[in-house]
Amino acid sequence: MSRQYETVIGLEVHVELATATKIFCGCSTAFGGEPNTHTCPVCTGMPGSLPVLNKQVVEYAMAVGIATNCTITQNCKFDRKNYFYPDNPQNYQISQLYLPICRDGGVEIETEEGGRKTVRIHEIHMEEDAGKLIHDEWGDCSLVDYNRSGVPLIEIVSEPDMRSADEVIAYLEKLRLIIQYLGASDCKLQEGSMRADVNLSVREVGSEKFGTRTEMKNLNSFKAIHRAIEHERNRQIDLLEEGKEVIQETRRWDDTKEYSYAMRSKEDAQDYRYFPDPDLVPVMISDEWLAEVRSRQPEFRTEKMARYKAEFDLPDYDIDIITGSKRMADLFEETTALCNQPKKVSNWLMVETLRLLKENNMEPEDIHFSPENLAKLIRLTDSKAINSSVAKEVFEAIFQEDVDPEAYVEEKGLKTVHDEGALRAAVERVIADNPQSVEDYHNGKEKAIGFLVGQTMRAMQGKADPSMINQVLRELL
């Protein structure tokens, strides 16, 4: 009889914080930029340079800790984690081992069965990011870019409470939304501002003892994380079934090949020879400072969902999609405040916006059109200044280039023609040109009127009100 196995998963999630400058110096944290242009003596580890802590980093870390139900360590400090690697300019990383800023939290997720479960958070600590190694295949060498060195990170370390890839994704999505709602990070996995390392082991069902775990790195999308977990689970079960041992090691996931390979044996804390950083003073968080950060916490998704239901009476499906992205929720609220048409705003976001995001392979966070222009478009359709097909064309221009819809309609001559004389003349021409359809209509074929409306719209170059055409057609027929 084959044995049944249970997967045990814990995560280390690194999140780059949305500060304008780095954690210990004044260099820019902007993504991209020519290699080594966002650097100074501090973040390139020059001898004699001294770090100065960025206050905003502490506030973001506290805010994330409060939102994930952690206890805030009001007297915390930084430590040096010593290791030698080309992307680590000082040969140590400033992190927090002994007194991390947040401890003992947790977030609630929905399980596949529809139940609820709390994934406990062991700690959240602040640290600096390393630089980036670029392996040059042509020059047969490795180059290093220190732009990312010193970018502020928080590392969120969970307890080993997850039991499947689906639970891991649910936990990551929950964390990402909390952090985006706080404005603490954009959490773009593809740009590396949110990265997850997966610690995974398997054990026989019913066993209390943990199996040997491996850590997987290089996971930059939820799909890659899901695939890597499934692959590693099966790899470990195959080893155990063959009577072999799982080796504790760090593995690198190659998503194109859907395969992982060993990088190095897993280190323990003592391998890094941690000690308190002598260049940084301890961080003392007063009760007043903590209370101030707590008072600035935003309205999170669950509260927003309840309010949208009560205030705007939107369908649950719309609420679920809109609140699933901070950018969408902001856009919805700001546009609704301008035009007071919540359902119409929701329809534009749910249908046309989602369609264009999908076609352009974009995330909701990449939307750059303004609520003012969407509100203007809704007013133009409400006043029947443009019809629905013209509105879709105008919206595409708003989505791509945030054009002013009023100016765009004027410039392109897209306004609906309300001249009844011109409309009547067009309808009369269409009736004269399509005797067969007229006969079909008189014989009770209701579809024929649709064809005649279409022909009239074409004659009017799409600039007519379909309901008005319908009315005139029925009257003349």
Side-chain angles (χ1 to χ4, degrees):
M1 188 180 125
S2 75
R3 292 178 288 184
Q4 291 286 300
Y5 291 95
E6 174 181 56
T7 319
V8 177
I9 308 166
L11 294 188
E12 294 164 17
V13 179
H14 286 90
V15 177
E16 278 186 3
L17 299 176
T19 55
T21 55
K22 293 183 181 181
I23 184 167
F24 299 121
C25 66
C27 293
S28 166
T29 55
F31 180 72
E34 286 296 304
N36 298 308
T37 52
H38 302 166
T39 54
C40 72
V42 175
C43 58
T44 52
M46 296 293 168
S49 60
L50 288 171
V52 178
L53 178 59
N54 182 338
K55 182 183 176 186
Q56 182 69 63
V57 173
V58 183
E59 296 201 342
Y60 278 149
M62 281 157 70
V64 174
I66 293 164
T68 52
N69 311 299
C70 290
T71 304
I72 306 299
T73 312
Q74 288 182 250
N75 178 5
C76 68
K77 63 185 177 60
F78 285 94
D79 306 293
R80 286 188 183 179
K81 176 183 182 179
N82 296 278
Y83 69 94
F84 300 93
Y85 203 66
D87 65 4
N88 187 21
Q90 303 115 305
N91 288 325
Y92 59 82
Q93 177 193 29
I94 302 175
S95 182
Q96 292 188 301
L97 176 74
Y98 301 108
L99 291 172
I101 188 164
C102 315
R103 293 176 191 270
D104 305 327
V107 296
E108 196 178 60
I109 60 165
E110 276 186 31
T111 60
E112 298 106 293
E113 299 77 46
R116 296 192 165 279
K117 161 177 187 172
T118 297
V119 175
R120 292 169 302 152
I121 288 172
H122 176 72
E123 67 172 60
I124 300 176
H125 58 258
M126 301 177 281
E127 60 186 25
E128 57 180 346
D129 208 344
K132 192 175 178 185
L133 275 182
I134 294 134
H135 304 294
D136 183 349
E137 310 260 320
W138 296 99
D140 191 23
C141 63
S142 292
L143 306 167
V144 66
D145 176 8
Y146 288 123
N147 280 352
R148 201 175 66 185
S149 175
V151 165
L153 294 177
I154 49 173
E155 183 175 343
I156 305 165
V157 182
S158 83
E159 297 287 0
D161 288 348
M162 289 157 277
R163 296 289 174 267
S164 69
D166 288 339
E167 285 186 8
V168 166
I169 301 304
Y171 167 73
L172 284 170
E173 285 182 333
K174 186 76 183 262
L175 268 188
R176 180 163 76 162
L177 266 183
I178 288 171
I179 295 165
Q180 285 176 340
Y181 268 86
L182 284 165
S185 173
D186 58 16
C187 293
K188 287 184 178 174
L189 278 86
Q190 69 280 13
E191 289 185 6
S193 56
M194 184 180 192
R195 317 196 274 279
D197 296 341
V198 177
N199 289 291
L200 183 150
S201 64
V202 296
R203 62 182 175 190
E204 280 193 61
V205 169
S207 165
E208 286 297 302
K209 192 168 171 278
F210 286 134
T212 305
R213 68 188 168 93
T214 59
E215 181 182 24
M216 271 181 301
K217 291 187 173 289
N218 194 36
L219 304 164
N220 59 1
S221 75
F222 285 163
K223 281 186 183 139
I225 292 166
H226 201 287
R227 281 195 284 262
I229 288 170
E230 292 295 330
H231 178 276
E232 183 59 16
R233 167 193 154 81
N234 294 332
R235 189 188 74 85
Q236 291 190 18
I237 290 171
D238 289 346
L239 283 172
L240 296 174
E241 287 288 306
E242 290 165 14
K244 294 177 181 168
E245 279 188 2
V246 174
I247 299 164
Q248 183 173 332
E249 62 190 359
T250 301
R251 299 181 69 83
R252 187 178 178 87
W253 175 252
D254 185 326
D255 201 47
T256 43
K257 295 179 184 161
E258 295 200 17
Y259 173 78
S260 72
Y261 51 90
M263 282 168 69
R264 57 176 180 263
S265 63
K266 182 70 184 145
E267 308 90 346
D268 287 313
Q270 64 261 29
D271 295 334
Y272 290 117
R273 303 187 320 286
Y274 280 94
F275 64 86
D277 192 296
D279 291 338
L280 286 157
V281 293
V283 180
M284 312 296 278
I285 297 167
S286 65
D287 294 346
E288 293 75 24
W289 190 13
L290 187 53
E292 186 196 323
V293 172
R294 199 182 289 278
S295 72
R296 293 203 300 256
Q297 294 287 90
E299 175 185 51
F300 287 105
R301 188 188 189 186
T302 18
E303 301 139 37
K304 244 186 219 312
M305 290 173 93
R307 181 167 68 83
Y308 283 13
K309 189 82 191 147
E311 199 175 313
F312 304 121
D313 195 26
L314 291 177
D316 290 343
Y317 181 73
D318 292 30
I319 293 173
D320 193 50
I321 301 280
I322 290 169
T323 58
S325 148
K326 170 81 162 61
R327 181 79 183 100
M328 283 282 237
D330 287 349
L331 203 49
F332 168 76
E333 289 185 28
E334 288 164 24
T335 312
T336 301
L338 292 167
C339 68
N340 200 19
Q341 296 272 20
K343 186 66 187 107
K344 286 181 180 167
V345 176
S346 168
N347 288 348
W348 279 107
L349 294 177
M350 298 291 296
V351 183
E352 290 303 304
T353 305
L354 287 184
R355 176 180 70 79
L356 290 167
L357 284 174
K358 196 175 174 189
E359 280 176 18
N360 292 286
N361 205 4
M362 287 162 65
E363 294 285 318
E365 280 59 48
D366 302 326
I367 294 172
H368 58 257
F369 63 83
S370 63
E372 288 77 13
N373 285 335
L374 180 53
K376 281 182 185 175
L377 179 67
I378 290 169
R379 282 194 212 102
L380 285 170
T381 49
D382 278 357
S383 64
K384 292 197 159 48
I386 56 174
N387 62 38
S388 59
S389 58
V390 168
K392 282 182 184 173
E393 179 194 324
V394 177
F395 180 73
E396 287 214 17
I398 292 174
F399 181 89
Q400 303 291 358
E401 289 161 32
D402 197 23
V403 298
D404 179 326
E406 290 166 357
Y408 185 85
V409 165
E410 206 60 58
E411 185 191 321
K412 305 270 182 201
L414 297 170
K415 265 203 171 135
T416 300
V417 177
H418 289 291
D419 176 347
E420 208 180 321
L423 187 61
R424 234 165 228 282
V427 171
E428 282 166 357
R429 264 199 315 283
V430 167
I431 289 173
D433 292 347
N434 296 279
Q436 185 58 55
S437 297
V438 172
E439 194 182 320
D440 290 348
Y441 174 72
H442 287 135
N443 291 336
K445 286 190 181 166
E446 194 57 33
K447 273 187 179 169
I449 198 112
F451 174 75
L452 295 169
V453 169
Q455 292 300 306
T456 312
M457 278 298 273
R458 183 182 286 179
M460 300 290 291
Q461 293 173 312
K463 292 182 279 187
D465 178 357
S467 58
M468 206 167 156
I469 295 176
N470 213 311
Q471 198 184 326
V472 175
L473 262 168
R474 287 178 192 278
E475 184 192 312
L476 292 176
L477 287 171

